[in-house]
């Protein structure tokens, strides 16, 4: 349905909004650790703005889409609320107007992080019983998050998730926000993923995982925590969307021209990608998708489900007036390493699959032509034995304050560089048994480190195998021609 055709009276809009909300396929958000909760805050601010909701969860009216004069207020309200039920539960109280409450659980092993969220601008948005925290913290130790401190609160977290899942009509899956470098996000996050996989084996589990980067390192034990987490991510998730602070800093400094960007800026970049990947679930469009469709298109082999996100346009404020937003330019930018939120270079790998999501008034013909042109010009960058390996989704609703934007999730073999980088740091310390005693104090065995290292090396070799298979296939084809 085109946007201009959404012209009906308010009563009809409200009725359809309520009916469609009930039929949404819901997602439950779980944010773990300091980094996970900070990204979560930025995500919820962006989602609230796109759905016309205030920080208190009340609908503010048709804000954020004023530039589209073809829409009546009733049509805007329909767009904003008809599928808000993906992330929100509508609570109808006899004391006040309808309030939209996030399906979310905020978790940390120390009280301070949850207190900061609760006392912040979004504090009244979440249900009070969805803040779950420990007392002593994880001390950047994966073992504390997974075995000792985390194990003490994991049952409470699961109970909160279970209660929210029972209130869903058609639960689609979970998204977990965490960092792989610390103790809580990595350790407790890994523990939660395993428990969710056991309890909800047929639901999609997607993570937004911040990986350590060499230029922006916060703790010396990051390589250990990351390697141990990747060992769990390989087995327990359907899609892992990778992020790293190095790429985020580069985008903020080089593209957005910010001299010393803060975490608020970096988190807002992540939030833009998160909103983009879920946009076809939350708004009507010409080509809609869901988490399972994304997974089916993007993951050709079960272990290779680590994805590189990119976004366009990233533009400095002073350059907005000079930035073109044609579909061809957006598509080109999506596959440019400077727009990717992971510090890896796709030129040194090959794309197994990719999913592009265009937002705004863009025709399917335009998008398909732009993607086809890009693939034709750069055919060597794409695996040829997977036909039509770039999928396209279209959503009529652009981000707040913009006319057009695009997001891409790519499954590229160049991601192995990121795992190689972490493994080099891991191996250098592990050979000397440095810091291992801290993990053994939490009941861990050295064998777990060896298993995690071997699993990561297997993952790297699998990426390399599929990258090299293209060259081998070409050699076989040449031999067949010579034989003929």
């Amino acid at each position: 349905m085109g946007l201009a055709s959404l012209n009906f009276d308010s009563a009809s809009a409200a009725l359809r909004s309520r009916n469609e909300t009930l039929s949404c396929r819901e997602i439950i958000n779980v944010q773990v650790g300091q980094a996970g909760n900070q990204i979560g805050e930025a995500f919820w601010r962006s989602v609230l703005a796109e759905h016309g909701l205030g920080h208190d969860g009340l609908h503010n009216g048709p804000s954020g889409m004023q530039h589209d004069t073809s829409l009546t207020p009733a049509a805007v309200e329909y767009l904003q609320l008809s599928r808000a039920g993906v992330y929100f539960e509508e609570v109808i109280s006899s004391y006040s107007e309808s309030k939209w409450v996030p399906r979310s659980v905020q978790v940390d092993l120390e009280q301070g992080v949850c207190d900061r969220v609760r006392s912040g601008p979004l504090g009244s948005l979440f249900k009070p019983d969805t803040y779950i925290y420990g007392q002593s913290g994880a001390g950047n130790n994966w073992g504390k998050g997974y075995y000792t401190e985390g194990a003490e609160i994991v049952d409470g977290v699961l109970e909160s998730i279970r209660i929210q899942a029972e209130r869903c009509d058609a639960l689609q899956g979970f998204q977990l926000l965490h960092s792989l470098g610390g103790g809580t996000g990595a350790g407790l996050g890994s523990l939660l993923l395993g428990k969710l996989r056991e309890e909800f084996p047929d639901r999609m589990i997607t993570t937004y995982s911040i990986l350590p980067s060499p230029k922006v390192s916060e703790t010396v034990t990051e390589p250990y925590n990351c390697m141990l987490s990747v060992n769990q991510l390989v087995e327990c998730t359907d899609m892992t969307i990778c992020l790293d602070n190095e790429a985020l800093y580069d985008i903020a400094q080089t593209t957005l021209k910010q001299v010393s960007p803060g975490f608020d800026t970096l988190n807002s970049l992540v939030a833009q990608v998160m909103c983009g990947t879920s946009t076809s679930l939350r708004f009507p469009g010409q080509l809609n998708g869901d988490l399972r469709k994304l997974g089916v298109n993007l993951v050709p082999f079960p272990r290779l489900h680590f994805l590189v996100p990119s976004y366009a346009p990233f533009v400095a404020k002073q350059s907005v007036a000079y930035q073109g937003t044609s579909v061809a330019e957006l598509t080109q930018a999506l596959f440019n390493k400077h727009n990717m939120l992971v510090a890896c270079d796709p030129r040194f790998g090959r794309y197994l699959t990719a999913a592009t999501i265009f937002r705004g008034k863009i025709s399917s013909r335009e998008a398909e032509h732009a993607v086809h042109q890009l693939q034709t010009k750069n055919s060597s960058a794409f695996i040829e034995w997977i036909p039509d390996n770039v999928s396209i989704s279209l959503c009529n609703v652009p981000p707040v304050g913009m006319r057009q934007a695009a997001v891409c999730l790519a499954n590229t073999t160049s991601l192995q560089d990121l795992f190689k980088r972490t493994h080099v740091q891991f191996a250098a310390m592990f050979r000397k048994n440095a810091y291992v005693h801290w993990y053994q104090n939490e009941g861990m065995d050295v064998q777990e480190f060896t298993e995690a290292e071997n699993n990561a090396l297997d993952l790297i070799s699998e990426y390399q195998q599929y990258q090299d298979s293209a060259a081998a296939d070409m050699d076989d084809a040449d031999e067949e021609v010579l034989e003929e």
Side-chain angles (χ1 to χ4, degrees):
M1 183 183 290
L3 290 187
S5 64
L6 291 169
N7 189 2
F8 34 73
D9 60 81
S10 299
S12 172
L15 180 62
R16 291 183 61 179
S17 170
R18 182 67 49 79
N19 289 340
E20 289 207 19
T21 298
L22 292 174
S23 62
C24 280
R25 301 197 61 207
E26 303 92 348
I27 296 173
I28 295 175
N29 176 75
V30 184
Q31 45 199 59
V32 185
Q34 184 173 359
N37 278 287
Q38 287 177 347
I39 291 172
E41 276 192 287
F43 168 69
W44 288 114
R45 279 197 296 269
S46 298
V47 171
L48 287 169
E50 291 193 0
H51 287 283
L53 302 173
H55 288 176
D56 54 3
L58 302 178
H59 188 239
N60 290 335
S63 59
M65 301 184 189
Q66 298 93 330
H67 65 268
D68 196 334
T69 54
S70 66
L71 294 174
T72 65
V76 171
E77 183 178 345
Y78 168 72
L79 278 176
Q80 290 178 332
L81 298 182
S82 63
R83 296 189 186 173
V86 170
Y87 281 114
F88 296 90
E89 179 184 0
E90 187 180 13
V91 177
I92 302 171
S93 168
S94 56
Y95 301 101
S96 63
E97 58 185 297
S98 294
K99 180 183 175 79
W100 295 85
V101 180
R103 289 190 181 85
S104 179
V105 184
Q106 301 70 240
V107 186
D108 197 66
L109 285 176
E110 54 184 326
Q111 186 173 342
V113 172
C114 289
D115 283 348
R116 194 186 66 79
V117 175
R118 193 179 299 173
S119 62
L122 300 183
S124 62
L125 181 67
F126 304 103
K127 290 181 180 177
D129 58 355
T130 59
Y131 294 96
I132 300 171
Y133 48 83
Q135 298 298 330
S136 59
N140 295 313
N141 186 329
W142 191 90
K144 273 185 176 290
Y146 194 88
Y147 284 109
T148 52
E149 306 296 339
E152 291 179 9
I153 70 166
V154 71
D155 288 338
V157 178
L158 286 171
E159 182 60 26
S160 181
I161 292 172
R162 202 175 291 120
I163 290 169
Q164 298 196 46
E166 287 170 356
R167 296 174 66 90
C168 294
D169 293 316
L171 177 63
Q172 185 172 176
F174 305 89
Q175 69 176 31
L176 186 135
L177 322 180
H178 65 149
S179 165
L180 301 189
T184 304
L188 178 53
S190 297
L191 179 61
L192 269 173
L193 288 172
K195 298 285 188 183
L196 287 174
R197 177 55 75 212
E198 285 177 20
E199 189 153 340
F200 302 93
D202 58 341
R203 294 292 177 257
M204 294 292 289
I205 299 178
T206 302
T207 69
Y208 291 85
S209 305
I210 303 175
L211 284 83
S213 52
K215 293 183 183 176
V216 191
S217 179
E218 295 178 355
T219 60
V220 72
T221 55
E222 276 184 352
Y224 284 164
N225 297 332
C226 180
M227 224 37 135
L228 291 164
S229 298
V230 168
N231 191 34
Q232 300 293 324
L233 289 172
V234 167
E235 307 298 335
C236 297
T237 68
D238 296 293
M239 291 187 291
T240 293
I241 298 169
C242 302
L243 309 154
D244 77 40
N245 284 332
E246 183 182 340
L248 295 171
Y249 270 109
D250 285 345
I251 290 169
Q253 291 177 326
T254 307
T255 308
L256 303 183
K257 310 298 183 189
Q258 297 195 9
V259 180
S260 54
F263 280 114
D264 285 346
T265 302
L266 305 187
N267 293 337
S268 69
L269 298 179
V270 177
Q272 285 177 292
V273 170
M274 292 180 67
C275 287
T277 55
S278 64
T279 188
S280 59
L281 319 178
R282 299 182 291 113
F283 296 110
Q286 298 170 49
L287 296 172
N288 281 323
D290 60 22
L291 282 182
R292 195 166 295 280
K293 284 182 184 176
L294 267 179
V296 168
N297 284 321
L298 284 169
V299 184
F301 308 103
R303 285 167 57 85
L304 305 188
H305 56 250
F306 296 87
L307 308 174
V308 176
S310 57
Y311 181 88
F314 284 130
V315 193
K317 288 182 180 178
Q318 60 269 33
S319 305
V320 171
Y322 307 95
Q323 175 69 28
T325 55
S326 70
V327 180
E329 288 173 314
L330 286 176
T331 306
Q332 195 73 37
L334 288 178
F335 292 88
N336 187 318
K337 72 170 187 173
H338 299 297
N339 287 59
M340 294 181 174
L341 277 69
V342 176
C344 67
D345 194 335
R347 294 174 298 177
F348 300 116
R350 303 193 77 194
Y351 289 100
L352 296 172
T353 55
T356 55
I357 303 161
F358 293 92
R359 304 188 62 179
K361 288 190 173 180
I362 295 172
S363 72
S364 58
R365 182 179 179 134
E366 270 185 298
E368 287 165 5
H369 178 71
V371 169
H372 178 72
Q373 286 287 97
L374 182 126
Q375 280 189 279
T376 304
K377 288 180 182 177
N378 304 278
S379 57
S380 62
F382 294 85
I383 294 294
E384 61 280 344
W385 38 266
I386 301 179
D388 301 322
N389 56 350
V390 181
S391 64
I392 299 169
S393 293
L394 302 175
C395 176
N396 297 323
V397 181
V400 174
M402 302 179 71
R403 293 190 176 275
Q404 289 181 342
V407 174
C408 178
L409 295 176
N411 194 337
T412 169
T413 60
S414 63
L415 196 60
Q416 64 179 298
D417 293 342
L418 192 145
F419 297 120
K420 284 179 181 176
R421 213 163 58 201
T422 305
H423 175 255
V424 167
Q425 297 172 317
F426 173 94
M429 292 197 298
F430 187 52
R431 277 196 210 99
K432 304 292 185 184
N433 257 10
Y435 302 103
V436 172
H437 64 286
W438 292 111
Y439 294 81
Q440 290 176 313
N441 291 344
E442 304 304 322
M444 289 187 65
D445 191 271
V446 176
Q447 188 63 33
E448 292 182 65
F449 287 81
T450 307
E451 180 189 327
E453 182 179 24
N454 291 337
N455 207 352
L457 290 172
D458 288 345
L459 191 65
I460 291 167
S461 65
E462 284 179 56
Y463 275 115
Q464 192 61 46
Q465 170 195 339
Y466 292 116
Q467 181 172 316
D468 294 340
S469 66
D473 290 345
M474 290 177 68
D475 290 341
D476 292 343
D478 291 340
E479 287 175 12
E480 287 175 13
V481 171
L482 288 173
E483 286 171 7
E484 290 175 3

